[in-house]
Amino acid sequence: SGINGLCSIIHDGKRSASSLDRLKKEITVNLAGKAAEEVLLGTVSLGAHDDLEKAIQNLRLAVEKELVFGFEFGYDFRRFDEKQAGSRQDKVSDKIFSVLKEWYGDTLDLIKQWRPVIEELMAGLMKQKYLLRDDINKIVSDNGILTGSLAQKC
């Protein structure tokens, strides 16, 4: 069995700084299950494949939006002539793969950084079906990664 969809975005009530920032956060959530399984379990389940497909689909829509509407990214998403329609799909796919590879690397780094907390959460979930907010806050604060008001939001 895998990580079972334990990844989600914690919203702070504010809008993301940019659409790219928001997209990256959403895709990081999609990639986090796969990354966690890879780092913590040494294997990847079929459920992680579904999450990867969602990440690819979301990124493909964003790249297409950039090509059609000039959506602002900060990445080098180039505009293509309509005459280049055949090679356009190849360039879109190449860009998706490139960005996804970079963001997956960032996601792996996050999982490695948070590994002690994730392992304790997994151990807690192995002992009981669910963890209450107080249980999660204790694990987080015991590891010193989140403190103060951020720990209260978990």
Side-chain angles (χ1 to χ4, degrees):
S1 71
I3 300 298
N4 293 326
L6 292 178
C7 302
S8 65
I9 297 175
I10 298 174
H11 295 283
D12 61 2
K14 299 177 186 174
R15 285 194 167 263
S16 297
S18 71
S19 296
L20 175 61
D21 184 49
R22 182 181 176 130
L23 176 67
K24 185 173 182 181
K25 286 178 182 177
E26 289 172 2
I27 289 178
T28 298
V29 168
N30 292 136
L31 298 175
K34 179 184 184 308
E37 288 181 4
E38 184 179 323
V39 170
L40 301 169
L41 304 175
T43 187
V44 178
S45 71
L46 291 175
H49 176 73
D50 291 341
D51 291 340
L52 182 59
E53 287 296 320
K54 286 178 193 171
I56 291 169
Q57 180 181 15
N58 287 340
L59 192 52
R60 179 172 295 283
L61 289 172
V63 170
E64 287 294 334
K65 194 173 189 179
E66 157 63 17
L67 294 174
V68 174
F69 300 110
F71 200 65
E72 191 61 43
F73 273 90
Y75 277 86
D76 186 20
F77 292 119
R78 294 186 177 99
R79 302 194 196 299
F80 304 103
D81 281 346
E82 291 181 19
K83 297 174 188 173
Q84 297 175 327
S87 67
R88 177 179 163 194
Q89 285 302 338
D90 291 338
K91 290 180 181 183
V92 168
S93 294
D94 289 348
K95 183 46 95 176
I96 290 169
F97 178 74
S98 171
V99 172
L100 202 58
K101 184 176 177 181
E102 178 186 339
W103 290 357
Y104 186 68
D106 294 345
T107 304
L108 282 170
D109 291 343
L110 281 172
I111 296 299
K112 290 172 186 173
Q113 175 188 350
W114 285 81
R115 185 178 185 144
V117 173
I118 295 168
E119 287 177 336
E120 281 196 50
L121 291 169
M122 289 171 57
L125 289 169
M126 296 297 283
K127 291 178 186 173
Q128 56 194 48
K129 262 186 168 177
Y130 54 87
L131 296 174
L132 300 174
R133 179 186 302 188
D134 290 342
D135 300 325
I136 294 169
N137 284 339
K138 180 170 179 9
I139 290 170
V140 168
S141 64
D142 286 352
N143 281 278
I145 294 182
L146 288 179
T147 59
S149 62
L150 280 176
Q152 297 303 314
K153 292 182 180 182
C154 289

